[in-house]
Amino acid sequence: MSRAIYIQNGVLVISSRAKKIHRKSRKKNSFLYSMRLWLVVALILVTISPLFIMRLVALDHLQDQLRARRMNELSNYSLILSNQIVRSNYFKGDNMDTVHADMNQSASMYNGRILIIDTNYNIVKDTYSTLDGMTSISQETIKAMGGESIRNYNSEDGMLELAVPITTEDKSEVLGVILFYSSISDIQKTCDSIGSFYNGLTLALVFICIVLSLLIANLFTKPLKRVADSIDRMAEGHFDEQIHLSGFSEIQKISDSFNMMLGKMKKVEESRQEFVSNVSHELKTPLTSVKVLADSLNMQENVPNEVYKEFMQDIVVEVDRENQIINDLLSLVKMDKSASDLNISSVNVNDMLEMILKRLRPIAAKRNIELVFESFRAVSAECDEVKLNLAFTNLIENGIKYNVAGGWVKVSLDADHKYFYVKVADSGIGIPAEYQDQIFERFYRVDKARSRETGGTGLGLAITKNIILMHEGAIKVLSEEDKGSTFVVRIPLKHVSETGNGGVKNDKK
Ligand code: ADP
């Protein structure tokens, strides 16, 4: 699968797929997709909605309450008036002025009109004085004459209408009816003014909300914008510009994670640059030697055959070396791939090590070096035989290369329930403590001249370590200068594959 973003020549390369995604996201970055806009809208909605609900529900409720209270007041007053009429013998013509004065006062207090009707449906008194002496035969009047109290609210006129029977004290006889009409325009006015107050408050709050939410949205989105800018800068190849965002802990975490990623990318970039310069230097060296040898042959005339042959042999050595470096580089590139590229099978590790030693014995014999194999048990493991063969060959070859004449290389194999362990110990020149960490780096050689003499490229241990890591294993070195070195490798007996099926592709015995 092609990578979306990678580094090439110090520049972060964005593949066309990644660019497409980027363009798409930029498009979305238009006004409608802006986080700021949605934050503002959300904040306004959250603040304003309760106000609107309050305005609708609470105001209606208040109006209902005030109206009910007014109706009760009118009803109470009508009962008092009814008692007063009965006690003062009003219908017989007694105390009429007193009752009328009282009625007028109450009618104007409640912004209304009061009518007294006798049993003949004659209007005895109208506080407006327009219907006096006339007849009123409305439904309410008839019902009230029957002893029923009628309460009504006429929403069109905004009027409360009340019809109350005037009964004797023992309630046995209806003497007449009181009709009470009262306008509730004052209640509506109160509610309207509360409503306008709410409107003003809502408007002011909307304004405050917009300002506040813009500030808050800015507070939230500014750090994100800075992160986005920094990523853009990183994409242009600037790995030095860390971001330092203060404020919310989540933002600080983003900033810390970003800086950590930046640091890692910087390291990757530095090691890539170092690798590229090492590769070009290593590849150039044999070529330069070939050129010098060829030039000096060209410049001389009548070169004696022996000299010519000697030079040609040197050229062949350099070409072989160039070939070796390229082969090692290719192996290394292959090992850089993920562990899913391992070709896992059940491998008899004893057989594999014995085969390697058999192959290397003639080379060791040339330097009078003894190769010893010691196995504590038979070990069978799930691993990539070809790759592990290469890793152990590198270690044993090094034991021979960096040894003294007449020395030894001991390979031992052991296992527990989880891992197998291979130790490659030699009686060689050893590695100074200060270099022991570096020997696994690509192209690192403690003694360049010696490594070159023995055909080393400085890539062997890097390849070996990569192979072991691909197997989820570990490698460590114990060494003392002039005494010898021991490389200890630990590999799991069972391969844990990414797909979880154990990763065994074929089963060789
Ligand atoms: P090379 O091709 O130079 O052998 P390696 O990556 O295999 O490269 O090893 C890196 C360096 O580590 C060697 O150049 C050598 O200096 C040192 N080294 C590796 N193995 C041994 C060993 N068994 N004894 C002493 N030095 C060693």
Side-chain angles (χ1 to χ4, degrees), residues 200-259:
L201 195 71
T202 309
L203 268 180
L205 273 175
V206 167
F207 178 73
I208 293 171
C209 244
I210 291 176
V211 174
L212 266 182
S213 46
L214 275 175
L215 285 176
I216 294 172
N218 233 22
L219 204 71
F220 281 129
T221 53
K222 215 170 166 186
L224 294 180
K225 198 179 167 305
R226 280 189 60 194
V227 173
D229 288 346
S230 297
I231 292 173
D232 282 350
R233 297 276 302 147
M234 193 175 82
E236 287 160 11
H238 302 275
F239 295 104
D240 290 322
E241 297 173 21
Q242 293 211 331
I243 42 169
H244 297 285
L245 302 173
S246 52
F248 301 112
S249 57
E250 289 85 354
I251 297 287
Q252 269 177 26
K253 187 150 189 330
I254 292 179
S255 149
D256 291 348
S257 305
F258 178 81
N259 289 339

Side-chain angles (χ1 to χ4, degrees), residues 328 394-403 424 426 428-432 435 438-448 450-452 454-464 477 479 484-487:
D328 278 1
N394 281 346
L395 290 179
I396 301 165
E397 252 179 0
N398 279 353
I400 300 167
K401 274 197 302 190
Y402 303 103
N403 216 320
V424 180
D426 64 58
I429 57 169
I431 305 158
Y435 302 127
Q438 283 142 283
I439 53 170
F440 295 100
E441 287 170 18
R442 295 174 290 198
F443 293 116
Y444 190 82
R445 280 156 290 183
V446 178
D447 180 349
K448 277 209 171 209
R450 186 179 178 128
S451 161
R452 207 176 141 74
T454 53
T457 59
L459 292 171
L461 283 181
I463 294 170
T464 301
V477 60
S479 183
S485 312
T486 304
F487 286 84

Side-chain angles (χ1 to χ4, degrees), residues 2-16 235 265:
S2 66
R3 280 173 297 169
I5 300 174
Y6 53 95
I7 302 165
Q8 198 176 63
N9 299 331
V11 173
L12 200 75
V13 177
I14 301 171
S15 73
S16 54
M265 291 201 74

Side-chain angles (χ1 to χ4, degrees), residues 235-288:
E236 287 160 11
H238 302 275
F239 295 104
D240 290 322
E241 297 173 21
Q242 293 211 331
I243 42 169
H244 297 285
L245 302 173
S246 52
F248 301 112
S249 57
E250 289 85 354
I251 297 287
Q252 269 177 26
K253 187 150 189 330
I254 292 179
S255 149
D256 291 348
S257 305
F258 178 81
N259 289 339
M260 215 160 81
M261 181 185 79
L262 207 66
K264 277 191 183 155
M265 291 201 74
K266 198 175 157 195
K267 265 195 196 149
V268 168
E269 173 56 7
E270 278 167 4
S271 92
R272 186 200 62 82
Q273 274 176 3
E274 196 188 312
F275 180 63
V276 169
S277 83
N278 279 341
V279 167
S280 31
H281 177 258
E282 295 298 326
L283 287 176
K284 257 169 125 181
T285 315
L287 282 181
T288 314

